[in-house]
Amino acid sequence: MTRKKTLSVIGKPLRKVDAMAKCAGETVYADDLNLPRTIYAKLLRSPHPHARILGINAARALKLDGVFAVLTGEDLPQKFGIMPSTEDEEALAVDKVRYAGDPVAAVAAASETLAEKALGYIDVEYEVLKPILSIEEALASTEESQRIHTWNRRANVQKAVSLEFGDVEGGFAGSDHIFEGTYFYQGNTHLPMEQYCAVGFYGPDDKLTLWSSTQTPHYLHRALAKVLKLPASRIRVIATPVGGGFGGKSDPFSHEICVAKLSMITRRPVKITLSREETFYVHRGRHPVKMWAKTGVKSDGTIQAMQYKTFLDGGGYSSYGLASVYYTGALQTVTYKVPAYKFEGVRVFTNKPACGPKRGHGTPQPRFAEEIQMDEIAENLDIDPLELRLKQLVEANSVTINGLQISSCGLRECIEKVAERAEWKKKFRKLPFGHGIGFAASAYITGAGLPIYWNNMPHSGVQIKLDRSGGVTIFCGSSDIGQGSDSILVYAIAEEFGIDPADIRVVSADTDLTPVDLGSYSSRGTIMTGNATIQACGKLKPLLLEAASEALEVPADDLEFADGQVRSASLPSRGISFAECVVKAEGKHGTLGATGSYWPPKNPREFKGSGVGPTPAYTFSTAIVELHCDSETGEIKIDKVWIAHDCGKAFNPLLVEGQTEGSVYMALGEALMEEQIFRKNGLHKIPSILEYKSPTTLETPEIETILVETIDPEGPYGAKEAGQGPLLPVVPAVSNAVFDAIGVRIHEIPITPDKILRALEGRLKAVSIPQFEFPAPLKWQPGEGVKVEQKS
């Protein structure tokens, strides 16, 4: 007889497993060993945003007492990059610099101060070129001297895409109303508390160990092998506990490669810590995106067709840009039923730091446009914004027009709960002038459906070892960046074996010791490592049950794991301790260990670009923002935010709430004040925490979090993501609340006081959209790809 399992660990507010408390013996730092004294590295960066390198002379620097080595681009000529098809970065620029701050040389010296001094003794001759600093300039540039890269086919265009799903022309023709708008989402950066840092040591065994503040130790490991020309088996990457990532530490970086190479030369541990100013230039943050959106609806507001054009300012290098441009068009259909959809997107190179993935990767920008336009449709048709959405929500076990499979969906419950808590019906359009309330909804992925480099191997793997003492050790390549991925591994084992989380050790993010996990990005950790862990436990449980059954003379199908015991479910007093059970099982079967792996469901779409968008499960979020705006000064104060998030089953509700509220905090910064902006000479205007405005606790309002638990068939115990999706609805909800408060629409962020005042005076110009000829659209219909069996 199959009994329904009652969860004993999952869903409880447990203590988070601290990443610092991982098995200490596995992560060995250079200073703990009897090694030569650590030396320090610094990078010489270009003062010019665009220039040819005519020559570099490091002779004067090498004469300084205490300088051990100097590297230039000639020492590391191999190009690299996170995306295999767009590897256009160099550890040190070889012949051209592409943004102010591009590294051109690296120094290793006895002290950080001396290394910094030595940078001034390196002579670099440049031929300064005209910089390209805007989307419009990039699209207009045609001269060969204005090209930032030469590998791309079309001037400074990295990637242009055009996709069409359904009868778009017919959908607009059959619409009673068509709404168009232009929008701009300013670029911003991650602002991690911990700057980028790394330590490299090439040991006497001719093996390299790199400790780094990275979200993707596996991909960094691959990049090191490629650039340094070392066998991958002789490289070890250890991701140290990360003091904030948010996507910004997902690429392999120059400083990591340089300290490794400097250690190979000097045979000493080499450490580098980037300054706060350098952290702003390394960047890889949110793309500035201009957008044009068009939606056709019937008189009752039912969507008939939707079309988007996005223009991304990618900065000087590709990074994740190939995926980013597709993400600006991938998820517009995963919230409301859209019967016809067309997307055109282009990412351009400019002479600014490269943009990449920041919390929500490529999706907050179009969500900002979509939710404001939905609000405008409701206003014009005199329909409550919530009612407009409720009548056309996507449903569980459905497929969108662009072929994305939705398994579970708690969006309706998210809308209803957040509206009830915020007293929407009492407040909407009923607050005094200057006070407003705004709503928005969104969807996001729970892990990417494909790896960055395509292969048939699992996306995540674990190994579990059972000890005779009753302790359990799990090895996994996932990197804990504060989101609690180590905790997920512990909670799953504790649930499966019925033991105390304190009896479980985690060894993670070490490429020598742990199986491959692709990294901490795309909200993939819980679903992928959680499922792999459950699979590994499932291989060990029959061995334990067999041993316990013999010892207790109880049928195996009447045994359960609970309260640190393996016991009879019908007679709980009859049992043995988990530790005793492990001893008996080891005596019967030998050393106890097992592996677990996870592959996402097969991508049901087969067309170019189809790899961006599919996911094991989608999460859904809704936000209501209440604020007041001073029409005299333009100042906005957020009074309260209500956020509802469909997270599947919450492993630890306290951690899920923390992740959700972190997303809200970051969203408010993007909505009201954060911007990564540059001067005409390519230098960052505000490269410091003092000047780059981000909310403090004083500006952070009360946040009320509502968890909606829809049990997803793909998730471990039904769990889905919580780290990124809740950011998406907050930014447009702020803009919609501003309209409710003072009656003006702001189509760009950050929504600063000067924009409020210009809007009130009728002086705020509409966002301009560049002229660009997109390629002919690739047309695709659901059912043209691979048939996928739905899980029951």
Side-chain angles (χ1 to χ4, degrees):
M1 185 178 90
T2 302
R3 295 188 303 275
K4 184 176 180 181
K5 178 176 172 62
T6 301
L7 301 180
S8 59
V9 175
I10 305 303
K12 303 298 189 295
L14 302 168
R15 178 184 66 83
K16 179 182 174 184
V17 178
D18 192 344
M20 294 293 287
K22 290 185 290 186
C23 187
E26 279 70 29
T27 301
V28 182
Y29 292 88
D31 289 344
D32 298 331
L33 305 176
N34 185 23
L35 301 174
R37 181 184 170 193
T38 300
I39 59 177
Y40 299 88
K42 283 290 182 180
L43 299 178
L44 178 65
R45 299 181 179 273
S46 167
H48 309 294
H50 197 194
R52 289 192 183 92
I53 300 172
L54 301 181
I56 302 178
N57 189 339
R60 292 196 302 132
L62 287 167
K63 290 179 181 178
L64 292 175
D65 187 31
V67 171
F68 292 91
V70 176
L71 296 176
T72 66
E74 293 180 353
D75 300 302
L76 295 164
Q78 177 66 52
K79 291 184 182 292
F80 70 97
I82 188 68
M83 306 292 285
S85 61
T86 56
E87 295 180 328
D88 56 9
E89 298 185 53
E90 297 153 344
L92 299 167
V94 175
D95 56 6
K96 180 189 268 194
V97 293
R98 295 174 173 87
Y99 68 94
D102 214 352
V104 297
V107 172
S111 70
E112 200 169 17
T113 303
L114 180 58
E116 186 79 46
K117 178 182 177 181
L119 298 181
Y121 286 73
I122 300 173
D123 301 308
V124 185
E125 184 181 358
Y126 296 99
E127 178 191 346
V128 178
L129 303 173
K130 180 184 176 182
I132 306 296
L133 296 172
S134 71
I135 295 171
E136 289 78 5
E137 287 179 1
L139 292 175
S141 57
T142 57
E143 297 178 16
E144 193 64 26
S145 63
Q146 294 178 317
R147 287 182 70 103
I148 295 172
H149 291 277
T150 57
W151 62 264
N152 50 316
R153 298 175 185 174
R154 195 170 172 182
N156 288 311
V157 173
Q158 187 217 338
K159 183 68 177 178
V161 301
S162 182
L163 302 171
E164 189 170 333
F165 309 93
D167 183 5
V168 176
E169 185 177 343
F172 282 119
S175 298
D176 297 322
H177 305 275
I178 295 177
F179 296 84
E180 293 185 34
T182 58
Y183 308 84
F184 177 57
Y185 202 110
Q186 179 61 276
N188 46 69
T189 199
H190 311 86
L191 210 68
M193 290 296 289
E194 178 192 38
Q195 297 115 268
Y196 297 83
C197 52
V199 175
F201 180 61
Y202 193 77
D205 56 357
D206 290 326
K207 291 183 178 179
L208 171 69
T209 301
L210 183 80
W211 295 264
S212 183
S213 175
T214 179
Q215 295 177 231
T216 53
H218 171 64
Y219 290 128
L220 174 55
H221 184 265
R222 286 172 58 89
L224 290 169
K226 181 169 188 172
V227 178
L228 300 175
K229 310 293 187 186
L230 286 176
S233 59
R234 299 182 189 176
I235 300 174
R236 180 184 186 186
V237 174
I238 299 171
T240 57
V242 177
F246 317 113
K249 296 173 182 177
S250 301
D251 286 78
F253 288 105
S254 296
H255 64 275
E256 295 165 321
I257 297 169
C258 286
V259 292
K261 182 67 173 179
L262 287 167
S263 183
M264 291 172 67
I265 294 170
T266 64
R267 295 297 179 122
R268 291 169 177 261
V270 181
K271 179 179 181 179
I272 189 167
T273 303
L274 302 192
S275 67
R276 177 60 63 182
E277 182 175 3
E278 286 179 295
T279 298
F280 275 92
Y281 283 99
V282 170
H283 187 41
R284 309 302 163 107
R286 187 85 71 214
H287 285 75
V289 181
K290 289 191 169 188
M291 295 162 283
W292 173 83
K294 177 181 177 182
T295 304
V297 299
K298 288 293 189 182
S299 294
D300 65 354
T302 306
I303 296 170
Q304 302 301 298
M306 190 178 283
Q307 183 177 355
Y308 274 75
K309 294 181 181 180
T310 63
F311 302 81
L312 291 75
D313 182 343
Y317 294 97
S318 291
S319 183
Y320 284 82
L322 190 62
S324 304
V325 67
Y326 281 106
Y327 269 124
T328 60
L331 302 188
Q332 279 89 316
T333 61
V334 190
T335 315
Y336 317 113
K337 293 175 182 176
V338 179
Y341 176 60
K342 184 176 182 180
F343 164 65
E344 296 166 304
V346 59
R347 185 182 190 263
V348 300
F349 290 121
T350 58
N351 292 119
K352 293 184 284 191
C355 297
K358 186 187 176 190
R359 209 170 196 164
H361 189 191
T363 63
Q365 298 97 322
R367 181 59 55 180
F368 175 70
E370 182 173 5
E371 291 299 309
I372 292 175
Q373 191 159 86
M374 289 294 287
D375 213 59
E376 291 170 330
I377 292 169
E379 177 72 17
N380 278 272
L381 300 183
D382 196 25
I383 302 172
D384 183 285
L386 273 65
E387 296 302 323
L388 174 68
R389 292 165 168 89
L390 284 167
K391 69 172 61 178
Q392 50 195 325
L393 301 179
V394 296
E395 298 174 357
N397 301 313
S398 65
V399 180
T400 67
I401 189 63
N402 55 337
L404 301 176
Q405 302 227 353
I406 298 168
S407 49
S408 62
C409 178
L411 182 53
R412 182 174 297 276
E413 191 175 351
C414 284
I415 293 175
E416 291 171 347
K417 285 195 171 184
V418 79
E420 179 186 358
R421 296 282 187 91
E423 298 183 309
W424 173 264
K425 290 188 180 297
K426 290 183 181 179
K427 296 175 182 177
F428 180 63
R429 298 291 190 262
K430 297 173 183 176
L431 296 174
F433 181 79
H435 293 256
I437 192 167
F439 171 86
S442 67
Y444 194 61
I445 60 173
T446 304
L450 288 173
I452 288 173
Y453 61 97
W454 291 14
N455 59 74
N456 294 321
M457 291 180 284
H459 291 213
S460 186
V462 304
Q463 292 175 332
I464 293 178
K465 178 179 73 71
L466 303 188
D467 187 80
R468 298 173 189 179
S469 66
V472 179
T473 302
I474 182 167
F475 302 82
C476 181
S478 61
S479 179
D480 198 316
I481 58 173
Q483 85 283 33
S485 60
D486 282 0
S487 302
I488 293 299
L489 303 172
V490 169
Y491 300 158
I493 293 173
E495 186 67 60
E496 290 298 304
F497 290 145
I499 60 177
D500 191 322
D503 293 329
I504 303 164
R505 288 181 180 270
V506 176
V507 179
S508 62
D510 184 326
T511 60
D512 259 15
L513 301 180
T514 61
V516 168
D517 177 83
L518 298 182
S520 294
Y521 62 91
S522 295
S523 284
R524 56 182 301 284
T526 294
I527 201 164
M528 298 199 183
T529 66
N531 276 322
T533 301
I534 292 170
Q535 184 189 88
C537 290
K539 294 176 181 178
L540 290 167
K541 289 169 81 172
L543 306 181
L544 296 169
L545 290 172
E546 183 182 346
S549 177
E550 290 183 6
L552 297 170
E553 299 181 343
V554 172
D557 60 4
D558 184 44
L559 293 174
E560 65 179 4
F561 294 88
D563 299 327
Q565 293 184 307
V566 182
R567 67 190 185 192
S568 167
S570 58
L571 189 63
S573 61
R574 191 176 183 88
I576 57 174
S577 70
F578 180 77
E580 187 180 350
C581 183
V582 170
V583 169
K584 292 184 180 298
E586 186 174 336
K588 184 175 181 64
H589 300 289
T591 302
L592 297 174
T595 62
S597 303
Y598 179 76
W599 290 264
K602 189 171 179 60
N603 180 8
R605 314 188 301 171
E606 285 189 338
F607 57 85
K608 194 170 185 179
S610 64
V612 174
T615 181
Y618 294 95
T619 60
F620 299 88
S621 305
T622 58
I624 289 179
V625 173
E626 186 172 344
L627 56 77
H628 61 270
C629 179
D630 189 325
S631 60
E632 296 293 323
T633 65
E635 184 179 359
I636 295 171
K637 186 177 188 327
I638 307 295
D639 298 313
K640 187 170 180 178
V641 177
W642 293 264
I643 182 82
H645 182 58
D646 166 21
C647 61
K649 179 64 181 177
F651 260 64
N652 184 335
L654 191 62
L655 284 188
V656 175
E657 288 177 13
Q659 285 292 294
T660 302
E661 290 169 10
S663 287
V664 172
Y665 161 83
M666 186 169 280
L668 292 176
E670 295 189 8
L672 298 177
M673 60 188 75
E674 294 190 36
E675 49 186 342
Q676 177 96 337
I677 50 178
F678 298 84
R679 303 180 188 278
K680 291 181 180 180
N681 61 1
L683 294 177
H684 200 297
K685 280 189 175 182
I686 44 175
S688 74
I689 291 182
L690 178 65
E691 297 167 296
Y692 180 92
K693 301 304 179 187
S694 183
T696 67
T697 53
L698 296 177
E699 289 85 32
T700 303
E702 180 184 353
I703 301 169
E704 185 172 337
T705 301
I706 306 155
L707 300 185
V708 173
E709 294 189 304
T710 55
I711 305 305
D712 193 275
E714 189 64 33
Y717 312 109
K720 300 193 285 189
E721 74 89 28
Q724 302 188 60
L727 180 147
L728 275 64
V730 177
V731 182
V734 170
S735 180
N736 292 337
V738 167
F739 178 77
D740 187 47
I742 59 175
V744 294
R745 291 279 181 192
I746 310 294
H747 279 202
E748 57 183 288
I749 64 155
I751 304 172
T752 51
D754 64 301
K755 291 172 188 169
I756 294 287
L757 296 178
R758 278 186 279 142
L760 287 169
E761 296 167 3
R763 296 187 297 108
L764 185 63
K765 296 180 180 178
V767 175
S768 63
I769 296 297
Q771 292 295 315
F772 181 72
E773 185 179 347
F774 287 94
L778 186 158
K779 297 185 179 183
W780 187 86
Q781 300 289 341
E784 295 180 5
V786 178
K787 185 178 179 181
V788 174
E789 297 294 333
Q790 281 281 356
K791 283 195 173 186
S792 57

